[in-house]
Amino acid sequence: MRYLPRLKDGRPAPMSWPLALYRRLNHIAWPLEDGVSRRVVLLERFVIFVGFLVFCLHNEVDMHYCLANRKDIDKMLTGMPTYLVLFELQIRCFQLAVKKNAFKRLLQKYYADIYVTEEAEPVIFARIQRQMLATRLNSVAYLMALLNFLLVPVQNIIHHRREMLYKQVYLFDNTKLYFYIPLICANYWVGIIITSMLFGELNVLGELMMHLNARYKLLARDLHRVAQHLLESAHPAEISAKYRRAVVHILRRNVALNQFGEQMELEFSFRIFILFAFSAALLCAMGYKAYTNPSANIVYIVWFAAKLCELLALGMLGSIVYTTTDQLSLMYYSCEWEQIIHKSSNASENVQLMKVITLAIEINCRAYCLTGLNYFRVTLVAVLKIIQGAFSYFTFLTSMR
């Protein structure tokens, strides 16, 4: 009943393994298939509501741990990363749960019009896979961090204790078996939802950006090919008119890509803002724990590496799209229209062609880039500023210690 993306011809779209895991594991964020029954829709809403209550319970007990140990900075920072991630992902995940139909429409548009298939463009497809390698590695790192948490029950059996997966303080005795079993199961479920959301949304966003970037690259290639073909074979009286029609067609494709980019902005802008807003504090807290006692905090080292990889991958992909779209106006300016006009014998068509070229340059005078609620652009520059902020907080904590 989960939505299965399909290509324009109706075939199921090939999905990378992080996206396939995201679809299977995260029933909170991933949309339903079209045409499901009313009963299924109501059941999903009920599950989302119960999941929200489970997240609220975890928020309370995680925060209670931090408050109970506020006078001991080492203990407080042991529970701070899990609380910050839980709070961040509750906002992101359930905001997506509310808007999952819009997310599904975006995916439908993407797989129908934007996705570059391996059969059509094998070289470009292979380049996209290389560009997505960082997000794949990030997915592995997050799964390793989750695996570290899943070792807690094994340690409980060895040491004859009943600890939770995360640092939590309950207002009742959670070690009693009839409390402990459902609570530890809820810990597992929350961990799976959080981890799948962390690497799943990054991979979705990365693929959307890289395939959109490839479509922009194809515009330049097609424009150059049309110009070369007309210069070699077109009649001087018709060359300018034919080239103008080709430029108009490519410009319409250009505008359609810009509109898809605006849809992406509407869908992801808020969640990107939340992601970046929590990142500096998370890197600081995890870096501090890894620095003060690395042998006892392996999970924080892995988690720190995963978070750093996530930010750098997102910034790198955003910078690639920004650089490509920043060159679009230059692409139209240097599309060999001067040679077309030089060869053409139709003065009126030459004027119309120059007007179209001028319009294309004006439309693409601003580079496209995803933003966080228009406060910042998703580029490597923004990521480096976050890392600098995290290092400043880290040096402050170590000096206090």
Side-chain angles (χ1 to χ4, degrees), residues 3-267:
Y3 167 65
L4 178 63
R6 296 184 179 277
L7 300 176
K8 200 168 188 177
D9 58 6
R11 290 182 295 130
M15 300 178 70
S16 61
W17 67 265
L19 289 187
L21 274 180
Y22 183 39
R23 175 178 175 268
R24 288 183 176 275
L25 298 178
N26 201 319
H27 55 278
I28 300 295
W30 195 264
L32 292 172
E33 190 64 88
D34 290 332
V36 295
S37 65
R38 178 69 175 171
R39 181 181 298 177
V40 172
V41 174
L42 293 176
L43 177 61
E44 188 204 35
R45 291 177 181 175
F46 175 75
V47 171
I48 290 174
F49 176 72
V50 173
F52 182 78
L53 295 181
V54 172
F55 265 80
C56 288
L57 170 65
H58 279 69
N59 255 315
E60 195 280 329
V61 294
D62 282 24
M63 182 178 65
H64 197 184
Y65 176 89
C66 295
L67 293 176
N69 295 281
R70 61 186 179 275
K71 294 183 179 179
D72 187 336
I73 189 170
D74 285 326
K75 285 187 176 180
M76 184 185 74
L77 287 176
T78 301
M80 185 61 70
T82 52
Y83 172 66
L84 289 175
V85 168
L86 180 69
F87 189 40
E88 173 198 338
L89 268 295
Q90 183 172 7
I91 297 172
R92 288 170 56 192
C93 192
F94 287 94
Q95 189 266 349
L96 177 53
V98 172
K99 297 182 59 179
K100 61 168 60 179
N101 286 332
F103 177 55
K104 180 169 69 174
R105 289 192 296 271
L106 180 70
L107 290 178
Q108 290 171 339
K109 175 72 174 175
Y110 162 67
Y111 281 107
D113 300 329
I114 307 298
Y115 184 79
V116 179
T117 62
E118 186 176 9
E119 297 83 2
E121 300 288 347
V123 176
I124 294 177
F125 186 84
R127 185 189 305 132
I128 292 173
Q129 299 310 304
R130 290 193 298 271
Q131 291 169 333
M132 293 295 296
L133 182 61
T135 65
R136 308 286 191 263
L137 294 175
N138 172 261
S139 303
V140 173
Y142 272 126
L143 289 172
M144 289 176 60
L146 178 63
L147 182 63
N148 276 287
F149 280 109
L150 299 185
L151 294 177
V152 172
V154 178
Q155 297 171 350
N156 287 346
I157 295 173
I158 294 174
H159 299 289
H160 304 286
R161 61 194 184 194
R162 292 179 181 175
E163 290 188 357
M164 309 305 293
L165 296 187
Y166 321 115
K167 299 300 180 181
Q168 299 173 332
V169 172
Y170 289 82
L171 299 179
F172 52 87
D173 186 6
N174 62 294
T175 59
K176 292 181 178 179
L177 195 60
Y178 52 83
F179 284 139
Y180 181 75
I181 292 178
L183 289 175
I184 198 71
C185 290
N187 277 186
Y188 275 114
W189 179 80
V190 168
I192 291 170
I193 293 295
I194 286 177
T195 306
S196 61
M197 184 72 185
L198 283 169
F199 69 74
E201 186 158 65
L202 174 66
N203 279 272
V204 169
L205 192 54
E207 291 210 4
L208 291 176
M209 287 195 293
M210 288 304 96
H211 283 268
L212 179 63
N213 180 75
R215 286 295 176 185
Y216 279 121
K217 292 283 189 181
L218 286 173
L219 294 181
R221 187 193 70 181
D222 293 347
L223 190 61
H224 177 72
R225 286 182 176 179
V226 168
Q228 291 297 317
H229 174 71
L230 291 177
L231 287 171
E232 292 173 1
S233 60
H235 191 275
E238 300 175 348
I239 185 171
S240 190
K242 289 183 176 179
Y243 189 62
R244 177 177 58 82
R245 289 193 291 269
V247 172
V248 168
H249 176 69
I250 288 176
L251 185 57
R252 285 174 178 165
R253 289 167 52 191
N254 189 171
V255 171
L257 295 179
N258 293 347
Q259 290 172 347
F260 180 78
E262 292 173 1
Q263 285 183 262
M264 285 179 57
E265 175 77 12
L266 289 174
E267 177 63 37

